Amino acid sequence: MKFRFLPKSLLKYKWNSIFVRYIIILLITFIVILSVVSWLILTNTNQTLKSESTRHFDRIVSQAGSSVGRIEAALQNNFSAVRNDPNFNIVMYKKNDFEDVHFYSAYNQIANIFKYMYLENHLISSVYMYSVENDYVYAVHNTPVCSDNTKYFADMNIFNEFISD
């Protein structure tokens, strides 16, 4: 019942009254303090998030760089292993004849190295070796595949980059 008379009693006060002045001063003070505190909190949160995202980005870039470095080193080691294998020259430069036991044995040795490269690194989807002498492509996906018909390989131009003049 007392609440019904509250609006009427507030209307009795004049706008120039001390009560209204104090209420306005309190409201303005509260709004200013709330604004300053909110601004400080938001600024601090923004700086924290920026520094965390920068550190996270730097960590991701560092991890990606080290992953690429490891993959490159593994590929270099694997390439060296294939290139230094005496069977490599037999497979690359001799006439490919799978009926020849010596050639077939050399091919199997190279194919095993390819399989190892493929299985060792899950980021390698396939390994190809192109013999210019024979116009023959040796490839490893899940199992060794070879073809004397290069039309089955969509982008034969990639091999031209590796052919020396």
Side-chain angles (χ1 to χ4, degrees):
M1 191 150 220
K2 291 181 181 181
F3 295 116
R4 285 187 187 169
F5 296 109
L6 189 61
K8 287 181 183 178
S9 59
L10 284 176
L11 289 176
K12 288 181 186 177
Y13 287 99
K14 305 247 188 253
W15 286 104
N16 293 335
S17 70
I18 294 176
F19 175 74
V20 172
R21 285 184 190 169
Y22 283 140
I23 290 293
I24 290 174
I25 289 172
L26 284 174
L27 282 175
I28 290 174
T29 306
F30 177 72
I31 289 172
V32 167
I33 291 173
L34 183 66
S35 298
V36 168
V37 169
S38 298
W39 179 78
L40 287 173
I41 289 172
L42 288 175
T43 303
N44 185 28
T45 303
N46 188 28
Q47 288 175 350
T48 303
L49 289 176
K50 274 185 182 179
S51 66
E52 284 180 12
S53 64
T54 302
R55 278 186 277 139
H56 186 63
F57 178 75
D58 290 342
R59 190 173 345 117
I60 288 173
V61 167
S62 173
Q63 288 173 350
S66 66
S67 294
V68 168
R70 282 193 312 267
I71 291 168
E72 184 181 12
L75 290 176
Q76 287 293 335
N77 289 340
N78 290 332
F79 176 73
S80 295
V82 170
R83 186 65 185 113
N84 293 331
D85 193 311
N87 296 316
F88 176 78
N89 288 333
I90 295 170
V91 172
M92 288 300 285
Y93 299 111
K94 249 183 125 178
K95 177 72 177 142
N96 52 358
D97 180 16
F98 286 100
E99 300 297 322
D100 180 14
V101 175
H102 188 62
F103 179 84
Y104 186 72
S105 173
Y107 170 75
N108 280 336
Q109 291 295 323
I110 296 295
N112 286 335
I113 294 173
F114 279 178
K115 278 191 244 179
Y116 177 75
M117 286 172 27
Y118 175 76
L119 295 174
E120 178 186 70
N121 193 338
H122 68 281
L123 297 174
I124 297 175
S125 62
S126 60
V127 180
Y128 293 94
M129 185 171 69
Y130 176 59
S131 172
V132 179
E133 299 289 325
N134 301 318
D135 192 31
Y136 205 87
V137 176
Y138 305 96
V140 174
H141 300 287
N142 296 4
T143 58
V145 175
C146 35
S147 173
D148 59 351
N149 196 343
T150 54
K151 73 179 182 181
Y152 294 117
F153 294 91
D155 189 14
M156 284 302 294
N157 294 332
I158 191 76
F159 296 116
N160 291 335
E161 293 180 24
F162 299 105
I163 298 172
S164 60
D165 293 324

